[in-house]
Structures are given as structure tokens and as C-alpha cells.
Amino acid sequence: MSRPWVLISGASSGFGEASALQLAREGWNLLLTSRREARLEAVANTCRELGAEVHVAAWDMRERQDTLKGVEHLMSRAGIAPSQGGTALEGLVNNAGLAVGKGPFDEGLDDDWDRMIDTNVKGLLFLARACVPFMTAGSRMVNMGSIAGKQVYPGGNVYCASKHAVDALSQAMRIDLVERGIGVSQICPGAAETEFSNVRFKGDEAAADAVYRGFDPLVAQDIAEAVSFVLSRPPHVCINDMVIMPTAQASAHHLHKVPS
Ligand code: NDP
Ligand code: 8X3
């Protein structure tokens, strides 16, 4: 049997990179995207060593035309053309996203708000819409939500709003795609140590490190295994929503930290 194809956004680091490696090990072929091409190529080469066929394309998901062109390019490289009786895209991991800044909304910066809303909400929509024509009954979409899409916390305002939008869109997409047999899942992690906080705090490594000090956070591999679980359910099963937290984090507001 030929290996199924999955497209992963945000594959240059964190959850996306770990998911690419996990799925390559499990027999998937990969289409990888993000903005940093050299990082994508490095991930792709490791996945190829694991036996996967891999194609990469770098673009900024905030650009709708680039997203459309990027998806068409990747589908053509992989020979994915279900409308012509060809193979289909069996998985989409809509993972790229970011937080930028943390503080009261009335001190928020326009550029930070634009980056979060344009990437986490509109970018996710652009990619999903571009990929659906290449999916068929049995294909699955996995949207990367967050505990920030279930609860809000101090200083999280716009990031939380963007992830609440992902929560709403995941439910709406599930409704819109049910008659086509395409399953839509959402994974909502709590605190996970990736490049997320380095991006949020704009390269302030001390601030980023402090987020994860005093407890055992999730690591990218924890989420990669959840992505793999969701994608590998039998055709009649759809995991609608999965909230995954570090054991030390009981909610967005309750993090048990032990001073070192
Ligand atoms: P990382 O910063 O490690 O990864 C984010 C990925 O998104 C990178 O590959 C980045 O690639 C890509 N990306 C960001 N902006 C764009 C853009 N405009 N166009 C294309 N790609 C983009 O963080 P995580 O792995 O932690 O984050 C992945 C997802 O998980 C995000 O949606 C995040 O909100 C969510 N999340 C993270 C949690 C955490 O605690 N870490 C918890 C809950 C959810 P590049 O820079 O190369 O473009
Ligand atoms: C990332 C987790 O709690 O920093 O989505 O918002 S949190």
C-alpha cells in the first residue's frame, strides 16, 4: 500500500517539526511548510532518512495568494489530484501560529495584534480552504488550538481571542465538511516548551526561560504523539477535541511551580 500524504504547517520547529518526524516514522509522506526554508529543508532531510517522500515550500501563511500557490505547488509535486481520480491529501495539520507580546490589551501594539490574528485565524483559514479540494472522504484535518482557546488569562487577550476563534472554526469546519466525510479535530495544548515563548517575548531568552522554570512543561513530542493518534483513528472515529496539559498545570490559571 502506498504511503498516505499529510501537509503540516509550522513544520520548521516545535510541534510541527516533531509531528513531521513522528509521522515519517509511522509511514506517512510529507508536505512541509513555514517561512524558514533552510529549517524546513533540514527537517525534510531527517524525514527522508526515515523513509518518507517529502516536499517543502516556504511562504508566509498571512498571504492568501501565496498560500493558494504554495498548496497547488506542493500538491503537484506529490501528484495529489483526487478530482482526476488520483491520490488524495489524507491529513492536514494546521499548526502554524504564534503569540506576540503579553500584557494589558490597552497597551497592545497594532503590529502584534495583526501578526496574531492574521496568522492564527486568517492563515489557518487560508490554508484549510486551499487544501480541502485535495481532500476526500476519510481525509482528516487537525487544527492546533490551545488552552488559550478554552480559557483566558491575564495579558493573553488577543492571543486568547485568536485561539478561541480556532476553537469556533474547528467546530464550524466539522459541520461544513461532515457531508464530505472529512473529519476535523482540534488539539489544545497547555504550556509546552518550544520556540513559542521566545517568539512571544521577541527574543528575550530570560523571559522565555522563566515561563517553564519550576515545573515539567509539555514537550513537542507529547503533541506529535497526539497528532499521530488523531490521524490514525479508524475511519468511523473522529477525535473532535483534545486538551493536553502538563500534570503541573490544572488550568490556564493554575500552574504548580516549585522554586529551584
Ligand atoms: P514554534 O514557535 O516552535 O512553532 C511555530 C511554527 O509556526 C513555526 O514553524 C513557524 O515557522 C510557524 N509560523 C509562524 N508564523 C508563520 C507564518 N506567518 N507563516 C508560516 N508559518 C508560520 O511554536 P509551537 O510549536 O509551540 O507552536 C505551534 C502551534 O501550537 C501554534 O499555533 C501555537 O499557537 C500552538 N500552541 C503552542 C503552545 C505552547 O505552549 N508551545 C501551547 C498551545 C498551542 P517560521 O517561523 O519558519 O515561519
Ligand atoms: C500556548 C499556551 O498558556 O501560553 O497556547 O497560552 S499559553
Side-chain angles (χ1 to χ4, degrees):
M1 212 180 88
S2 60
R3 295 168 70 112
W5 285 97
V6 60
L7 189 152
I8 304 174
S9 71
S12 57
S13 67
F15 301 161
E17 175 180 8
S19 298
L21 297 173
Q22 181 71 19
L23 295 174
R25 279 191 287 271
E26 292 176 357
W28 291 77
N29 284 333
L30 305 166
L31 303 173
L32 305 180
T33 181
S34 78
R35 291 165 300 180
R36 289 172 293 177
E37 192 160 17
R39 292 276 295 260
L40 279 181
E41 285 295 354
V43 176
N45 283 335
T46 310
C47 292
R48 289 182 187 114
E49 284 164 16
L50 294 166
E53 183 179 339
V54 189
H55 302 286
V56 307
W59 73 84
D60 188 327
M61 287 207 355
R62 292 172 289 183
E63 301 295 333
R64 91 184 72 191
Q65 287 306 328
D66 291 352
T67 300
L68 207 51
K69 276 193 230 146
V71 167
E72 279 168 5
H73 168 75
L74 286 173
M75 297 304 150
S76 133
R77 292 296 308 275
I80 293 175
S83 61
Q84 291 156 34
T87 188
L89 180 68
E90 299 199 23
L92 166 62
V93 184
N94 220 336
N95 162 74
L98 76 182
V100 198
K102 189 176 183 187
F105 86 91
D106 52 319
E107 293 172 16
L109 303 179
D110 290 349
D111 187 54
D112 294 353
W113 292 0
D114 286 344
R115 287 176 67 192
M116 288 187 275
I117 292 170
D118 291 351
T119 310
N120 299 355
V121 184
K122 291 171 71 180
L124 176 136
L125 274 167
F126 294 154
L127 185 64
R129 185 176 60 186
C131 286
V132 163
F134 298 96
M135 302 170 90
T136 54
S139 298
R140 294 170 186 280
M141 186 189 305
V142 184
N143 293 331
M144 198 55 69
S146 170
I147 188 61
K150 304 287 186 186
Q151 302 169 343
V152 294
Y153 53 81
N157 41 66
V158 174
Y159 178 67
C160 293
S162 75
K163 288 297 181 179
H164 274 70
V166 173
D167 189 61
L169 286 170
S170 299
Q171 296 176 52
M173 289 172 174
R174 192 175 308 121
I175 293 168
D176 292 346
L177 295 174
V178 70
E179 286 173 13
R180 279 173 267 179
I182 299 172
V184 178
S185 304
Q186 178 182 223
I187 296 178
C188 298
E193 191 164 10
T194 61
E195 293 178 16
F196 176 83
S197 289
N198 303 79
V199 173
R200 174 171 238 173
F201 297 112
K202 304 177 182 179
D204 180 341
E205 287 194 16
D209 289 348
V211 173
Y212 308 108
R213 203 171 300 135
F215 74 108
D216 281 336
L218 298 171
V219 295
Q221 180 61 19
D222 298 321
I223 303 309
E225 288 170 17
V227 168
S228 150
F229 180 78
V230 166
L231 288 176
S232 61
R233 289 313 83 208
H236 66 289
V237 177
C238 180
I239 307 289
N240 287 357
D241 208 1
M242 213 187 228
V243 179
I244 307 173
M245 306 288 279
T247 305
Q249 186 180 19
S251 78
H253 311 277
H254 298 90
L255 188 53
H256 180 60
K257 286 196 170 198
V258 179
S260 50

